[in-house]
């Protein structure tokens, strides 16, 4: 078999067989297929697409390209969750303790932020002492003991995705539904999930800008899950403005602490309850999403979810007391951005807020660039809220004056204020089973 023939076949709209897909993935991981051929193939996929059979086989070949976690020692059904990425998206940190407190173990591998989107592992790194890397034995032992562990992706899990994603990132081949779907699903399958709950975001701050695109991606992932025998549930959620008010790592941990103590921003809580309830359904501890939400609300009201969060931080070496006492480092230079007129905030573009947070130092420009865990933005007002001229709309946090000045440039004219309250799209658009 020759890679050049397979590129040509896809370029001309043909379907690749299982054997051919295995040849591509194995050859690429082993270094037999060079980047330039893989990039040409990925571009052919961008234009020609892949059938469901091809996409499922690609997912499986990628999932099997490295180590796979065996979670059978945890007993019961193991459910995982994945978000396609957003701004201020801290749902994992809120729903993880709630779901674990309701008896479904959460053993989760999460990512770091890239570009304008944040990552759970960066947020957790803002807790002093917190270890994002555990051995597989430590990870499983912690899940057995307290029902919750969140770690960075370990060494050799889905090397095909690591290599292919980095290549796609620099060859304009990210935005293909079969390539995104196989990238996401291969990681969940290699991490041992029997049930998978996907938060597929759409809107300005998301990868998929329209509901239609998000629906297509979600349907593809649910179908792959079915084809590979994993129950998969996709929730389409709105990312036109950030979730909650805090964007930036330590700022977001403090917001999660508030939410777990019943003082959460309503939108963050609503999305977390929806996703968490589906995790309880997939984990077979409740029969429907209404009872799931009720159980999760009880875990908040009783303090069980907050206790679980503190136990989780402590188990991974983090200073839970510092979180409880709100002693996390927040960048010392801050500046309010004031409203120039009185009225209703019309919109806060999530993508632009993500870029602003990056300018303040909270995000990475490249995979390895440094990050300021204390920097970020707080949305003092959100869309549909009333603001009086001269009141703060945003509060910026940076570690030095230069970055604050840089952020200020991005922050000007970010919010439009008008006399009518805008209609907001629903937070949860649809659930695809
Ligand atoms: N997230 C992923 O994990 N992979 C993609 O290809 C895009 C978003």
């Amino acid at each position: 078999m020759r890679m050049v023939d397979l590129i040509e076949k896809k370029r001309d709209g043909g379907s690749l067989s299982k054997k051919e897909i295995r040849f591509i993935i194995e050859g690429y991981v082993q270094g037999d297929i060079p980047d330039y051929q893989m990039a040409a193939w990925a571009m052919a996929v961008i234009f020609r697409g892949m059938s469901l059979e091809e996409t499922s086989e690609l997912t499986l070949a990628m999932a099997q390209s490295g180590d796979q976690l065996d979670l059978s020692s945890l007993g019961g059904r193991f459910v995982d969750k994945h978000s396609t990425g957003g701004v201020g998206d801290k749902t994992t940190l809120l729903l993880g303790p709630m779901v674990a407190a309701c008896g479904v173990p959460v053993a989760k591998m999460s990512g770091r932020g890239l570009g304008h989107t944040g990552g759970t592992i960066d947020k957790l790194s803002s807790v002093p002492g917190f270890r994002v890397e555990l051995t597989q034995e430590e990870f499983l032992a912690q899940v057995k003991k307290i029902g919750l562990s969140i770690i960075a992706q370990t060494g050799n899990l889905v090397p095909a995705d690591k290599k292919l994603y980095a290549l796609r990132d620099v060859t304009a081949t990210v935005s293909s539904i079969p390539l995104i779907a196989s990238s996401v699903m291969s990681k969940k399958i290699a991490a041992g999930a029997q049930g998978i709950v996907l938060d597929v975001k759409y809107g300005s701050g998301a990868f998929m800008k329209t509901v239609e695109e998000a629906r297509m991606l979600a349907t593809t992932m649910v179908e792959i899950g079915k084809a590979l025998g994993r129950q998969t549930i996709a929730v389409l959620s709105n990312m036109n403005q950030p979730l909650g008010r805090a964007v930036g790592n330590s700022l977001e941990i403090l917001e999660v602490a508030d939410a777990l103590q019943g003082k959460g921003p309503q939108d963050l809580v609503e999305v977390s309850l929806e996703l968490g309830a589906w995790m309880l359904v997939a984990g077979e501890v409740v029969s429907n999403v209404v009872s799931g939400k009720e159980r999760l609300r009880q875990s908040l009201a009783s303090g069980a979810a907050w206790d679980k969060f503190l136990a989780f931080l402590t188990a991974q070496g983090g200073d839970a007391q510092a979180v409880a006492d709100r002693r996390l480092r927040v960048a010392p230079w801050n500046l309010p951005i004031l409203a120039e007129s009185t009225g209703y905030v019309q919109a806060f573009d999530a993508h632009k807020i993500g870029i602003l947070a990056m300018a303040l130092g909270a995000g990475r420009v490249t995979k390895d660039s440094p990050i300021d865990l204390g920097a970020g933005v707080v949305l003092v007002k959100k869309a549909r809220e009333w603001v009086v001229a001269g009141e703060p709309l945003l509060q910026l946090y940076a570690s030095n004056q230069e970055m604050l000045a840089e952020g200020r440039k991005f922050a000007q004219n970010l919010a439009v204020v008008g006399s009518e309250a805008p209609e907001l799209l629903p937070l949860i658009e649809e659930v695809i089973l």
Side-chain angles (χ1 to χ4, degrees):
M1 217 180 280
R2 294 191 319 157
M3 183 63 178
V4 64
D5 300 325
L6 304 183
I7 298 170
E8 193 177 295
K9 190 171 182 187
K10 187 43 75 186
R11 183 201 66 192
D12 296 342
S15 279
L16 299 171
S17 69
K18 286 187 177 186
K19 235 170 130 181
E20 289 167 335
I21 289 172
R22 291 269 160 178
F23 172 84
I24 294 173
I25 293 303
E26 285 166 17
Y28 187 50
V29 172
Q30 282 159 16
D32 299 336
I33 294 174
D35 277 348
Y36 56 82
Q37 283 193 313
M38 199 62 183
W41 174 78
M43 191 58 87
V45 172
I46 290 264
F47 288 112
R48 291 298 193 168
M50 283 182 127
S51 67
L52 185 61
E53 290 71 36
E54 288 176 291
T55 311
S56 300
E57 190 55 31
L58 178 63
T59 305
L60 203 55
M62 286 178 33
Q64 292 170 350
S65 65
D67 296 342
Q68 294 187 70
L69 273 192
D70 179 6
L71 297 170
S72 53
S73 65
L74 295 178
R77 268 176 75 76
F78 169 64
V79 183
D80 205 350
K81 171 253 172 194
H82 185 89
S83 157
T84 55
V87 180
D89 179 8
K90 48 200 85 79
T91 51
T92 291
L93 294 169
L94 182 52
L95 65 80
M98 288 196 284
V99 168
C102 293
V104 173
V106 178
K108 182 149 174 48
M109 293 197 185
S110 287
R112 296 187 183 276
L114 184 63
H116 74 281
T117 65
T120 301
I121 291 300
D122 290 331
K123 298 172 211 232
L124 284 169
S125 300
S126 71
V127 178
F130 188 88
R131 292 171 61 205
V132 297
E133 277 168 19
L134 299 183
T135 64
Q136 196 164 314
E137 292 70 38
E138 288 173 320
F139 178 57
L140 295 179
Q142 183 175 318
V143 177
K144 264 190 209 153
K145 192 160 169 222
I146 65 165
L148 173 60
S149 181
I150 303 174
I151 59 170
Q153 209 148 309
T154 57
N156 199 33
L157 209 80
V158 201
D161 181 60
K162 258 183 220 148
K163 213 171 159 188
L164 182 54
Y165 192 85
L167 182 74
R168 288 166 57 212
D169 206 18
V170 292
T171 55
T173 51
V174 172
S175 57
S176 144
I177 286 183
L179 295 182
I180 297 173
S182 55
S183 163
V184 169
M185 292 298 283
S186 61
K187 285 179 282 211
K188 299 293 106 181
I189 286 164
Q194 288 144 332
I196 301 167
V197 176
L198 300 167
D199 181 8
V200 182
K201 299 205 176 284
Y202 70 90
S204 72
F207 215 47
M208 300 283 128
K209 300 297 174 203
T210 65
V211 180
E212 290 71 28
E213 287 173 306
R215 186 178 294 122
M216 224 187 310
L217 175 61
T219 306
T220 306
M221 293 195 284
V222 168
E223 290 301 321
I224 293 173
K226 275 188 200 151
L228 301 180
R230 317 290 169 116
Q231 182 187 14
T232 306
I233 298 159
V235 175
L236 301 194
S237 76
N238 184 323
M239 185 33 75
N240 279 316
Q241 64 172 338
L243 261 189
R245 294 186 186 272
V247 180
N249 298 292
S250 61
L251 293 167
E252 292 191 44
I253 293 282
L254 294 173
E255 188 167 58
V256 167
D258 284 343
L260 285 167
Q261 295 176 92
K263 296 173 277 183
Q266 175 270 334
D267 58 346
L268 170 65
V269 174
E270 185 179 329
V271 175
S272 304
L273 287 176
E274 181 78 29
L275 295 165
W278 283 109
M279 288 176 80
L280 296 188
V281 171
E284 297 176 348
V285 302
V286 295
S287 58
N288 60 61
V289 78
V290 175
S291 336
K293 285 187 191 173
E294 192 44 45
R295 288 278 295 271
L296 295 169
R297 278 196 200 96
Q298 281 165 14
S299 79
L300 282 182
S302 67
W306 172 236
D307 290 344
K308 187 65 78 183
F309 186 59
L310 297 177
F312 147 72
L313 294 177
T314 305
Q316 282 183 234
D319 186 350
Q321 199 56 48
V323 176
D325 297 343
R326 306 184 68 81
R327 279 189 283 106
L328 297 189
R329 179 186 171 275
V330 171
W333 287 85
N334 64 77
L335 180 79
I337 302 294
L338 307 179
E340 287 174 9
S341 53
T342 297
Y344 291 98
V345 176
Q346 300 297 299
F348 256 129
D349 183 308
H351 182 253
K352 290 184 181 155
I353 295 279
I355 301 286
L356 166 62
M358 265 178 81
L360 292 163
R364 277 188 192 79
V365 182
T366 66
K367 214 161 145 272
D368 300 313
S369 53
I371 188 166
D372 182 349
L373 296 170
V377 191
V378 171
L379 283 80
V380 183
K381 299 285 176 186
K382 291 191 70 174
R384 224 179 138 76
E385 290 180 350
W386 181 257
V387 66
V388 173
E391 275 184 347
L393 280 166
L394 296 171
Q395 188 79 22
L396 315 187
Y397 294 87
S399 284
N400 58 56
Q401 230 172 336
E402 293 70 42
M403 296 200 86
L404 200 62
E406 187 63 19
R408 184 188 202 155
K409 275 192 249 158
F410 283 95
Q412 297 305 336
N413 309 318
L414 243 178
V416 179
V417 174
S419 55
E420 303 276 319
E423 277 309 315
L424 298 184
L425 292 170
L427 267 174
I428 306 293
E429 175 70 25
E430 188 177 331
V431 178
I432 298 174
L433 301 167

